[in-house]
Amino acid sequence: MITTDHTHLVRGFPFPFPADQYRYSTNVEPAEKAVLTAAGQWGRAVVDIDAEYHRELAEREEILRADPSRHAVLPHMRTAAWDAMLHLMRELALARPDAMSLVREDGGSWRWRNQLLGVDRRFVLGDESTLPCEPLRYIAGQVQEDIVLLDQRADALWADAGVVTFAADWSFAFDVGMSFLEIHGPVPRIRAEGVITRAHEFLKRLQPGETYRRTNWTMTVGRRLDVSTERYPEWGPDRETVRRVDDDTFGRLVHLRVEVQHLIRLPESGAVMFLIRTYMLPLEALAAVEEWRSRTAAVLSELPADMADYKGIAKYRDRAAAWLAAREPGTAG
């Protein structure tokens, strides 16, 4: 049986594997359509507010206090930051109309309420003095998603603004100002197979207000959202030490980590907003869903070595595959 602590995670988990084999692909689809899974559903809204909301926002604040470089807005992206803030406020209000609202008042000011955080704020669009901080930083404190804003110029996309605290083995501070193609250069296979070029062209063709999504995955040791390269000395050794733990501990520590990535062309600035929401499920909970257990074991067993190495799971993916294959159907331990 799934433990009580994991039930809410399992029900909303975006299981990423439609087949027993995984290869890189654009795998883009229209957003805001619920996806039924073997254990529940996900994907109804662009922003997802779940039981982890307060805990994850508190972790984001702690990370930003310790490392302000996780937040950057280049000067030419200020309009896009306001555009992103307003768009995300609308999405939050759609997702939780019982607790959040955005209203335009007489005189042109706006009123934003977020009862989950005790927020009631009047602001003037474009006037940073009416907010407690820069607009992208402000709204990042109220969504669980990481945010990257891509500027389109010279027939390319550039990562010129964002708030990223839950990166999976990359550094937002390093990537700020780089092009989309440069950022994805280290990923194996995607250039030779044309995946990154197709993705780049798709993003450039996005129309204002269009919203698409895709999933990506890796694995993480421990329930650690921040596995950025800046903190590699803290989490990197886990990939080796987890190989030496007993089976029960292995199942508790190793997590399947899935990103739901939303791609949105903002209507006013024309920037592309890239939202990254991270979900993690330990193998002990994953194994309780038979379809997920058998498929994940198959994917890990077949995954090419260069892809496993890039995802950082080469040292323990064979054990993870064997661990899942050895579980009895419907059990978690």
Side-chain angles (χ1 to χ4, degrees):
M1 297 294 291
I2 300 170
T3 67
T4 302
D5 289 341
H6 293 145
T7 299
H8 72 281
L9 300 176
V10 171
R11 287 175 179 167
F13 189 69
F15 186 72
F17 304 129
D20 288 350
Q21 182 186 81
Y22 173 82
R23 293 294 185 274
Y24 291 119
S25 68
T26 51
N27 73 310
V28 175
E29 64 180 12
E32 299 176 284
K33 294 182 179 180
V35 178
L36 299 180
T37 71
Q41 70 173 39
W42 66 275
R44 181 183 58 83
V46 171
V47 293
D48 183 22
I49 302 167
D50 62 16
E52 302 290 289
Y53 185 68
H54 290 90
R55 186 188 67 79
E56 291 186 8
L57 293 186
E59 185 171 347
R60 169 164 290 150
E61 291 301 316
E62 181 180 343
I63 292 167
L64 287 168
R65 280 195 298 270
D67 184 1
S69 73
R70 310 296 186 91
H71 163 227
V73 178
L74 299 187
H76 66 282
M77 296 298 284
R78 288 174 179 166
T79 298
W82 282 102
D83 203 2
M85 186 191 79
L86 211 62
H87 193 92
L88 286 168
M89 285 177 173
R90 292 186 176 116
E91 292 292 352
L92 285 165
L94 285 172
R96 286 294 304 269
D98 59 315
M100 302 182 188
S101 64
L102 178 67
V103 177
R104 187 158 193 179
E105 300 186 320
D106 294 340
S109 64
W110 295 80
R111 186 176 185 181
W112 166 245
R113 295 175 177 170
N114 179 342
Q115 295 178 21
L116 297 182
L117 298 177
V119 171
D120 190 342
R121 165 71 56 173
R122 285 182 172 86
F123 65 90
V124 176
L125 196 65
D127 183 354
E128 291 193 13
S129 71
T130 60
L131 290 177
C133 56
E134 184 274 325
L136 198 64
R137 172 70 176 83
Y138 181 68
I139 197 60
Q142 301 182 56
V143 296
Q144 290 164 266
E145 287 79 5
D146 281 326
I147 308 166
V148 177
L149 301 183
L150 303 171
D151 186 38
Q152 187 165 335
R153 62 184 187 275
D155 200 32
L157 294 165
W158 305 82
D160 287 345
V163 179
V164 179
T165 55
F166 305 143
D169 206 1
W170 62 285
S171 167
F172 173 69
F174 180 80
D175 288 349
V176 172
M178 293 176 64
S179 74
F180 180 84
L181 294 176
E182 288 171 334
I183 290 169
H184 291 88
V187 184
R189 296 172 179 251
I190 61 172
R191 282 189 181 272
E193 297 173 8
V195 174
I196 192 62
T197 304
R198 291 194 299 272
H200 190 237
E201 293 303 311
F202 175 84
L203 288 172
K204 290 193 297 179
R205 291 194 301 269
L206 276 179
Q207 296 301 302
E210 286 189 336
T211 304
Y212 286 82
R213 70 184 177 207
R214 67 183 299 272
T215 59
N216 191 25
W217 71 276
T218 184
M219 302 184 83
T220 303
V221 179
R223 192 164 184 78
R224 186 191 290 269
L225 279 167
D226 182 12
V227 285
S228 59
T229 52
E230 286 90 344
R231 300 182 74 169
Y232 180 81
E234 299 175 25
W235 57 265
D238 294 344
R239 294 172 172 177
E240 179 63 38
T241 57
V242 77
R243 301 167 68 183
R244 300 191 292 272
V245 301
D246 61 60
D247 274 356
D248 287 343
T249 303
F250 187 86
R252 289 195 301 271
L253 286 180
V254 177
H255 288 65
L256 180 61
R257 178 187 181 110
V258 178
E259 295 176 353
V260 176
Q261 303 171 351
H262 278 90
L263 316 164
I264 305 163
R265 175 75 73 176
L266 295 173
E268 299 299 326
S269 64
V272 174
M273 180 163 63
F274 184 47
L275 300 177
I276 310 166
R277 176 63 195 281
T278 300
Y279 301 82
M280 291 186 291
L281 195 64
L283 293 189
E284 66 173 6
L286 186 83
V289 182
E290 172 56 20
E291 179 181 318
W292 295 0
R293 180 196 67 81
S294 59
R295 176 149 291 170
T296 305
V299 167
L300 292 177
S301 295
E302 193 277 338
L303 193 70
D306 61 337
M307 294 175 67
D309 186 59
Y310 177 76
K311 288 181 177 292
I313 65 174
K315 291 184 176 180
Y316 60 88
R317 68 85 172 255
D318 288 342
R319 184 177 178 186
W323 190 98
L324 287 166
R327 299 306 99 183
E328 294 182 6
T331 67

